[in-house]
C-alpha cells in the first residue's frame, strides 16, 4: 500500500511486470468469507487504487484479474474498479479524437505558459525606486 501510495510509475511498472497482485488476489479469495484485518487491508488497497484512479494499476488489475474480481460480489469495490477501468478506456478513446491532433492547449490571451529568460533578466535589472530615496535620519 505504501509503494502504491507513492504514485511513482516506476513502482507501478514493477508491480505489474512482476505480477505482484497474484498473491494478494489469492489471499483475497481465501479470505472472502471472513471478516478480518487481512481482508480489510486488501479491500482498502483496491479501494485506494480505484479512488485515486492510478490508471496503470487500474488497467492491470482489471485486465489481468477480471474473472476473479467479477466473481467477488460481496463488496462493490471490485465492480467499481472494473467500472473505473471502462471509464478510463472510454475517456482515452474519446480523448484521442477530441485532442485536436495532439497540439498543446493555448494559454490565456496575453499570457505565456513560461516567461522568457529575457523577461526574467529585465525584471531583475529594473530599478524599483528604493535606491533613490533619501535616508531618513
Amino acid at each position: 500500500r505504501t509503494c502504491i501510495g507513492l504514485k511513482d510509475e516506476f513502482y507501478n511498472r514493477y508491480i505489474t511486470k512482476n505480477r505482484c497482485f497474484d498473491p494478494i488476489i489469492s489471499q483475497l479469495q481465501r479470505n472472502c468469507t471472513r471478516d478480518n484485518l487481512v481482508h480489510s487491508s486488501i479491500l482498502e488497497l483496491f479501494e485506494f487504487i480505484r479512488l485515486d484512479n492510478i490508471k496503470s494499476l487500474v488497467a492491470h488489475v482489471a485486465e489481468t484479474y477480471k474473472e476473479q474480481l467479477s466473481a467477488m460480489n460481496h463488496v462493490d469495490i471490485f465492480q467499481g474498479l472494473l467500472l473505473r477501468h471502462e471509464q478510463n478506456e472510454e475517456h482515452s478513446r474519446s480523448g484521442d479524437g477530441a485532442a485536436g491532433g495532439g497540439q498543446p492547449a493555448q494559454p490565456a490571451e496575453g499570457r505565456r505558459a513560461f516567461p522568457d529568460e529575457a523577461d526574467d533578466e529585465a525584471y531583475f535589472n529594473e530599478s524599483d525606486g528604493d535606491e533613490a530615496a533619501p535616508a531618513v535620519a
Side-chain angles (χ1 to χ4, degrees), residues 19-39:
R19 298 182 57 98
C20 292
F21 282 109
D22 283 352
I24 295 171
I25 296 291
S26 66
Q27 188 68 27
L28 180 66
Q29 290 173 329
R30 281 183 280 195
N31 284 300
C32 71
T33 59
R34 304 166 92 184
D35 189 20
N36 58 20
L37 186 60
V38 172
H39 185 67

Side-chain angles (χ1 to χ4, degrees), residues 106-137:
Q106 296 296 324
E109 225 174 282
R111 296 182 67 191
R112 291 177 293 216
F114 297 103
D116 291 345
E117 192 173 306
D119 291 342
D120 290 341
E121 290 296 320
Y123 174 80
F124 289 109
N125 290 334
E126 287 179 0
S127 173
D128 57 357
D130 290 343
E131 298 160 358
V136 177

Side-chain angles (χ1 to χ4, degrees), residues 32-89:
C32 71
T33 59
R34 304 166 92 184
D35 189 20
N36 58 20
L37 186 60
V38 172
H39 185 67
S40 297
S41 300
I42 294 171
L43 292 178
E44 194 276 331
L45 173 70
F46 285 109
E47 183 70 4
F48 177 78
I49 292 170
R50 182 184 71 84
L51 288 176
D52 281 14
N53 197 15
I54 304 172
K55 292 179 180 161
S56 59
L57 294 180
V58 168
H60 170 69
V61 168
E63 292 168 1
T64 308
Y65 306 103
K66 185 173 186 171
E67 295 82 29
Q68 293 98 323
L69 297 180
S70 297
M72 293 183 208
N73 54 10
H74 63 285
V75 290
D76 294 334
I77 294 172
F78 304 113
Q79 280 69 33
L81 190 67
L82 296 173
L83 177 66
R84 178 66 62 142
H85 175 61
E86 290 173 12
Q87 290 170 344
N88 288 344
E89 290 290 312

